[in-house]
Amino acid sequence: MSATMTAAPGRAETGDDDPRETAPPAVRASGLRLDGSRGRVYGPVDLEIAPGTVTLLTGRSGSGKTSLLLTLVGRMRPNRGSDLVVLGRRLPARAAGVQRRSAAVGIHGLDDLDEEVTVAAALREREAWLAPWYSVVRTPDDEHVARVCAGVFGRNEVPRARQLVHELDEAANLQLRLALALLSSPELVVVDDIDALHDTDGRRLVWESLRTLSERGVTVITSAASAGELSRLGWETLPGHVALPTP
């Protein structure tokens, strides 16, 4: 069974002359699939995702959502014969280029934050990683943390520099991870298991963060167990939806 786009990707209202209307897809896949030692992980999947949009990928546990997200950002290799182009680069041949221009957030073991460090320490570590080796990266203060987080946190309270990561609620933790990921200016961001956020209001704040990113031209793909997420958003234009069958 092949998974295909079941709804047009949602985006903010833009003008008739918006270049995204005629831009090539951010993601185009045909017959995309992955098999592991225990059988099919996901696929085949056919999809086309426009730049600057938000897309929800759904599927029950075992449907391969996380593996597909990692494939789309060049972190996993699909089966031979899969046709996949991301940000104008064919995968897996040009995976390095896609990795530099994308970010994966909310994926266990990939972007986890040390719960016992401060927000400032987490930010400094990320900035030091991105800076040239000869740069001096100082520990940020509240003003610098607020500047980095402002575009993501929206109506949610921006964390303080000396606040410990474990003191953040679930939504703020994920928003901080988004803010850190955006320091590398990715064109594509994937966010795994948005429905793992138990607080409904907090999850809504994260959805608003994702919509804000798309309005800035970033292509966003997130995952959840079901499309029930969409009915609770209240957006005039809903995100696109890709439903994965369980292999």
Side-chain angles (χ1 to χ4, degrees), residues 34-111:
L34 175 65
D35 292 320
S37 59
R38 298 185 179 182
R40 182 61 47 90
V41 178
Y42 65 74
V45 178
D46 302 318
L47 65 140
E48 186 171 297
I49 298 176
T53 60
V54 183
T55 300
L56 175 64
L57 179 69
T58 63
R60 293 181 296 174
S61 177
S63 60
K65 300 187 300 295
T66 302
S67 295
L68 178 54
L69 291 179
L70 289 173
T71 301
L72 297 180
V73 292
R75 270 71 170 182
M76 292 188 75
R77 296 173 65 93
N79 285 10
R80 288 182 179 273
S82 297
D83 183 11
L84 175 61
V85 178
V86 177
L87 303 177
R89 295 161 178 83
R90 188 168 295 280
L91 292 176
R94 302 184 65 187
V98 172
Q99 291 173 12
R100 287 193 298 271
R101 293 165 177 82
S102 64
V105 178
I107 296 178
H108 180 66
L110 187 63
D111 75 319

Side-chain angles (χ1 to χ4, degrees), residues 159-240:
R160 302 181 306 278
R162 294 186 178 182
Q163 191 170 3
L164 294 174
V165 169
H166 74 73
E167 295 174 334
L168 303 177
D169 60 32
E170 288 182 312
N173 184 293
L174 187 57
Q175 286 175 312
L176 176 60
R177 291 155 78 176
L178 273 169
L180 297 180
L182 290 176
L183 289 172
S184 61
S185 301
E187 300 170 44
L188 169 66
V189 173
V190 300
V191 182
D192 199 22
D193 288 335
I194 193 169
D195 53 345
L197 299 175
H198 297 97
D199 181 70
T200 303
D201 291 336
R203 194 156 70 240
R204 187 177 296 113
L205 289 173
V206 174
W207 271 110
E208 292 299 328
S209 298
L210 300 185
R211 179 163 68 170
T212 297
L213 295 187
S214 73
E215 291 170 347
R216 289 161 50 185
V218 179
T219 304
V220 179
I221 307 172
T222 187
S223 71
S226 75
E229 287 293 307
L230 301 181
S231 64
R232 291 187 285 267
L233 290 180
W235 296 1
E236 182 177 347
T237 303
L238 292 177

